[in-house]
Amino acid sequence: MSGPELPAGVTINKDASRGNLLFVTLRLESGEELPLVVDTGAAGTIVDKSLEPKLGKRLETGTMWNFGVKHKSGVYATPKLYLGSRLLSTSAEVFSTDLKQLSARSGIRIMGILGMDCLRYYCIQLDFEVGQMRFLAPGQLDVAKWGKAFPILLSTEGNSDGEYA
C-alpha cells in the first residue's frame, strides 16, 4: 500500500525555531487560507472556534487538554484541508477551541493547530536555514546518512503526581 500523494515543499515562517512557533498556510475547499501551527505534540488537529459555522453540525462536545488544563471543545467532521493543491490525510474529526491567546503570543491570527493525526502520514524535513518544510517519500530516504539517533527518556522521578516531566 502506498501512502498519500506528497505535497510540494512549503515556505515556513523565518522566525520558526527562533523564538516563535512553526506556521504553515493550509487552504479549505472554499479557497480560504488558514495559518496553522505545526505541532508534533498535539494528538489531533484543532481549529479556531470562529470556523465552527463552516464545519457543519457539531458531532459532540469533547474534552481537550492543553498543558494540563482541561477545556470543553466542539468536535466536528474534519474539513478538507489542502497544502498547495494536495489534500492532506487526516483523522475523521477535529476539535474546535478559542485560539486567541495563542494568536496573541505568536503575533499572527492562528486558525488552527496541525497535529499528529495528519503529520503521521508524512515524512517531513524542516529546513530552518532555507525556511522550508519538505515532504519526503519514506522509501527513498537514505537514513544511514542521518547521523546517530539519541533516545529521549522520560522519567517520573521527583514528580509526586506521577506525570511525566
Side-chain angles (χ1 to χ4, degrees), residues 74-114:
V75 179
Y76 295 85
T78 301
K80 290 182 178 178
L81 295 172
Y82 293 86
L83 187 58
S85 63
R86 293 283 184 227
L87 176 64
L88 293 178
S89 296
T90 61
S91 65
E93 298 172 340
V94 293
F95 289 90
S96 70
T97 194
D98 187 346
L99 296 173
K100 285 180 187 170
Q101 284 185 335
L102 187 59
S103 294
R105 285 189 301 222
S106 57
I108 71 163
R109 179 70 175 125
I110 296 171
M111 297 305 290
I113 298 171
L114 189 63

Side-chain angles (χ1 to χ4, degrees), residues 46-156:
I46 301 165
V47 296
D48 187 73
K49 72 177 191 173
S50 66
L51 294 172
E52 287 179 350
K54 299 174 184 180
L55 298 175
K57 184 180 177 190
R58 181 183 286 213
L59 303 175
E60 64 180 296
T61 299
T63 302
M64 278 184 16
W65 290 88
N66 186 12
F67 294 106
V69 178
K70 188 163 128 176
H71 301 273
K72 292 284 184 201
S73 169
V75 179
Y76 295 85
T78 301
K80 290 182 178 178
L81 295 172
Y82 293 86
L83 187 58
S85 63
R86 293 283 184 227
L87 176 64
L88 293 178
S89 296
T90 61
S91 65
E93 298 172 340
V94 293
F95 289 90
S96 70
T97 194
D98 187 346
L99 296 173
K100 285 180 187 170
Q101 284 185 335
L102 187 59
S103 294
R105 285 189 301 222
S106 57
I108 71 163
R109 179 70 175 125
I110 296 171
M111 297 305 290
I113 298 171
L114 189 63
M116 287 305 295
D117 65 318
C118 173
L119 299 173
R120 69 186 175 114
Y121 292 103
Y122 304 98
C123 182
I124 298 171
Q125 179 188 52
L126 299 174
D127 187 334
F128 293 107
E129 226 174 272
V130 174
Q132 192 168 65
M133 182 167 80
R134 296 182 193 98
F135 293 79
L136 310 172
Q140 298 174 349
L141 301 177
D142 187 358
V143 296
K145 294 182 179 179
W146 286 7
K148 184 176 179 179
F150 293 92
I152 297 173
L153 304 174
L154 300 176
S155 171
T156 59

Side-chain angles (χ1 to χ4, degrees), residues 12-23 126 128-129 131:
I12 59 174
N13 49 307
K14 291 293 184 188
D15 58 352
S17 84
R18 293 170 176 87
N20 208 349
L21 301 167
L22 170 64
F23 306 110
L126 299 174
F128 293 107
E129 226 174 272

